């Protein structure tokens, strides 16, 4: 009888689910997915949860292969030498290979009063708390959204469409990713919804109180509800476990997504830093890195050299309320171009993207490894050589 291989996946987000599903290609691989929640969170819909138009969750049986064993728990430590993970419940789970896909969450705002008086929405629980807070606030309450990335823009639009008085504090440029043409379209829609957009270098937030937001230029904004979307952080599990991480705490890997410390640990998604040149955090990169992390593990099980990663981007899509949106096209290397789709059609495209992302997970669960949905950026190698020289290669074979 063939030897069975135990693979543990930490994290049940976009990357973790894709990785777990892809691993089921082999009958001699047992896959355990460890996640703190019993449901899959559609993180790209959390702003809708806050606005009350979606619950942002999907039952795992709809997106996870039947052969994947779901363990609802939290990993507190990785024992790489002993090849097991320790759980918050007190148990341990052995692995032959580990896929680290813990994702990202809210960053420490490091602004006076923000931790006490501002409300993040980087995960399900934060979004649920914020929804209750907004629902309890008077209809005329001033709402300030800090941060002008996708989460900030979408949340501001969602709440303004519900009739809330919203100020979006950019702390810099509105939609830094966007091409100027796409940015103008977003600004126009926000203006139409009544959102006051404060941008420019003097709009950095310096202090948050219970009822105000203070800016670097001295302005003091009334704010009964302050939403904080400025930046993401990653869990410190890898660092606490003695593994090498980058400055933000992402697990350092080579170009096969293999940990620079341990060839039996592979990373995917927001928590991975391949060659110290990580990709933009989000589901677009996560659904590509998850399967590739699994393929690295499968190659090692087969005593083959894993392939180098390849990720390609299509752009960034933003919902601007329930009736409008913007799809900003990009080059495969994630550089925005002048082309975008706006208005109602842009909103429909965003909804299609949200639904198709869940469909991709479900398709991978039913037919693991059948197809790939992305075209790769062929210039990453040039960027690596230009930025830091040839990336270290630890893709050699590992004895089982």
């Amino acid at each position: 009888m063939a030897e069975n291989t135990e693979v543990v996946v930490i994290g049940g987000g976009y990357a973790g689910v894709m990785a777990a599903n892809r691993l089921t290609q082999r009958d001699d691989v047992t896959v355990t997915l460890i996640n703190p929640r019993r449901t899959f969170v559609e993180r790209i819909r959390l702003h809708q949860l806050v606005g009350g138009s979606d619950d942002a969750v999907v039952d795992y049986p709809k997106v996870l292969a039947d052969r994947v064993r779901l363990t609802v728990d939290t990993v507190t430590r990785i024992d790489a030498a002993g090849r097991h993970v320790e759980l918050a419940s007190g148990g341990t789970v052995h692995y032959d290979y580990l896929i680290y896909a813990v994702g990202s969450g809210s960053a420490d705002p490091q602004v006076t009063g923000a931790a006490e008086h501002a409300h993040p929405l980087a995960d399900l629980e934060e979004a649920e708390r914020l929804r209750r807070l907004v629902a309890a606030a008077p209809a005329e309450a001033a709402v300030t959204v800090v941060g002008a990335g996708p989460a900030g823009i979408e949340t501001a639009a969602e709440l303004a469409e519900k009739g809330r008085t919203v100020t979006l504090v950019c702390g810099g440029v509105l939609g830094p990713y966007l091409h100027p043409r796409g940015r103008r379209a977003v600004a126009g829609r926000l203006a139409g919804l009544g959102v006051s957009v404060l941008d420019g270098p003097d709009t950095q937030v310096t202090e948050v109180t219970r009822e105000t937001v203070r800016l670097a230029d001295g302005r003091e904004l009334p704010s009964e509800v302050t939403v904080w979307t400025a930046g993401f952080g990653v869990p410190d599990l890898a660092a606490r476990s003695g593994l090498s991480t980058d400055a933000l705490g992402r697990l350092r890997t080579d170009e096969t997504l293999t940990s620079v410390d341990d060839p039996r640990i592979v990373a995917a998604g927001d928590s991975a830093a391949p060659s110290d040149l990580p990709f933009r955090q989000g589901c677009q990169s996560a659904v590509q890195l998850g399967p590739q992390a699994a393929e690295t593990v499968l190659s090692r099980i087969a005593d083959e050299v894993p392939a180098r990663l390849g990720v390609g981007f299509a752009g960034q899509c933003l919902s601007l309320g329930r009736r409008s949106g913007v799809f900003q096209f990009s080059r495969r290397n994630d550089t925005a171009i002048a082309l975008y789709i706006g208005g109602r059609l842009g909103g429909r495209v965003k909804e299609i993207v949200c639904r198709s992302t869940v469909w991709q997970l479900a398709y991978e669960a039913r037919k693991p490894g059948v197809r790939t949905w992305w075209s790769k950026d062929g210039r990453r190698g040039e960027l690596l050589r230009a930025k830091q020289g040839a990336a270290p290669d630890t893709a050699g074979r590992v004895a089982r």
Side-chain angles (χ1 to χ4, degrees):
M1 181 179 294
E3 178 183 353
N4 191 71
T5 303
E6 299 278 350
V7 183
V8 168
V9 180
I10 308 176
Y14 297 102
V17 170
M18 286 293 280
N21 288 340
R22 179 64 63 98
L23 288 165
T24 62
Q25 289 180 91
R26 288 185 62 124
D27 293 336
D28 59 349
V29 172
T30 299
V31 186
T32 300
L33 177 68
I34 304 175
N35 190 65
R37 304 178 189 87
R38 295 185 178 277
T39 53
F40 174 79
V41 178
E42 285 191 85
R43 188 167 174 177
I44 55 179
R45 291 193 188 273
L46 288 180
H47 62 286
Q48 290 185 246
L49 191 159
V50 174
S53 64
D54 200 279
D55 61 8
V57 294
V58 176
D59 291 336
Y60 268 118
K62 294 182 179 180
V63 296
L64 201 59
D66 293 340
R67 286 186 48 220
V68 177
R69 179 172 55 203
L70 176 64
T71 297
V72 181
D73 212 322
T74 299
V75 176
T76 58
R77 180 173 173 270
I78 301 167
D79 185 338
R83 288 193 205 160
H84 67 262
V85 297
E86 299 172 3
L87 305 178
S89 63
T92 61
V93 179
H94 166 79
Y95 66 82
D96 295 305
Y97 291 92
L98 177 72
I99 293 183
Y100 186 82
V102 298
S104 60
S106 300
D108 182 355
Q110 297 184 334
V111 170
T112 302
E116 296 81 10
H117 304 299
H119 305 276
L121 71 155
D123 63 33
L124 180 66
E125 291 75 21
E126 291 172 348
E128 288 175 336
R129 285 193 294 270
L130 182 56
R131 178 179 180 175
R132 292 192 294 269
L133 183 67
V134 170
E140 67 278 8
V143 178
T144 302
V145 179
V146 180
I153 291 171
E154 292 184 321
T155 302
E158 201 79 20
L159 295 179
E161 193 176 67
K162 296 289 184 180
R164 294 289 180 174
T165 302
V166 181
T167 298
L168 177 62
V169 178
C170 300
V173 177
L174 172 67
Y177 179 88
L178 301 170
H179 185 276
R181 291 188 62 196
R183 183 174 299 115
R184 286 193 293 271
V186 170
R189 173 59 178 168
L190 290 175
L193 289 169
V195 177
S196 298
V197 176
L198 305 182
D199 60 358
D202 292 333
T203 60
Q204 290 284 341
V205 175
T206 58
E207 184 179 3
V208 180
T209 71
R210 188 181 299 275
E211 296 178 344
T212 63
V213 172
R214 296 192 178 107
L215 306 184
D217 62 6
R219 278 180 287 180
E220 188 170 290
L221 311 176
S223 183
E224 295 184 51
V225 179
T226 302
V227 184
W228 196 273
T229 70
F232 290 106
V234 298
D236 64 351
L237 175 60
R240 283 190 287 108
S241 301
L243 298 169
S244 297
T245 62
D246 70 359
L248 291 180
R250 293 170 289 206
L251 184 67
R252 294 182 61 240
T253 77
D254 66 7
E255 285 293 284
T256 72
L257 298 171
T258 303
S259 165
V260 298
D261 301 309
D262 189 329
R264 291 183 177 270
I265 298 177
V266 179
D270 290 354
S271 55
S275 302
D276 289 319
L277 194 66
F279 298 95
R280 172 164 57 94
Q281 293 175 313
C283 73
Q284 190 172 176
S285 55
V287 296
Q288 298 179 59
L289 292 172
Q292 292 180 77
E295 291 293 348
T296 289
V297 171
L298 294 171
S299 294
R300 294 195 185 282
I301 292 171
D303 197 27
E304 298 172 352
V305 176
R308 288 176 173 269
L309 63 84
V311 172
F313 289 86
Q316 185 179 86
C317 51
L318 303 169
S319 64
L320 300 171
R322 294 299 87 216
R323 296 185 294 275
S324 183
V326 164
F327 186 94
Q328 169 67 71
F329 288 91
S330 76
R331 297 185 179 89
R332 286 179 293 178
N333 68 358
D334 208 22
T335 302
I337 61 175
L339 181 63
Y340 74 92
I341 301 172
R344 289 184 177 273
L345 181 56
R348 292 193 190 101
V349 171
K350 171 60 190 273
E351 180 59 25
I352 290 170
V353 168
C354 290
R355 293 184 183 184
S356 67
T357 302
V358 173
W359 179 85
Q360 287 182 53
L361 302 177
Y363 190 88
E364 188 71 34
R366 296 192 307 271
K367 298 182 178 181
V370 168
R371 60 176 295 184
T372 297
W373 289 270
W374 63 88
S375 60
K376 301 174 184 179
D377 170 24
R379 301 187 63 185
R380 180 172 171 85
E382 296 175 21
L383 185 59
L384 283 168
R385 287 189 292 272
K387 190 176 181 68
Q388 63 188 47
D393 189 350
T394 59
R397 295 177 175 83
V398 180
R400 294 182 65 199

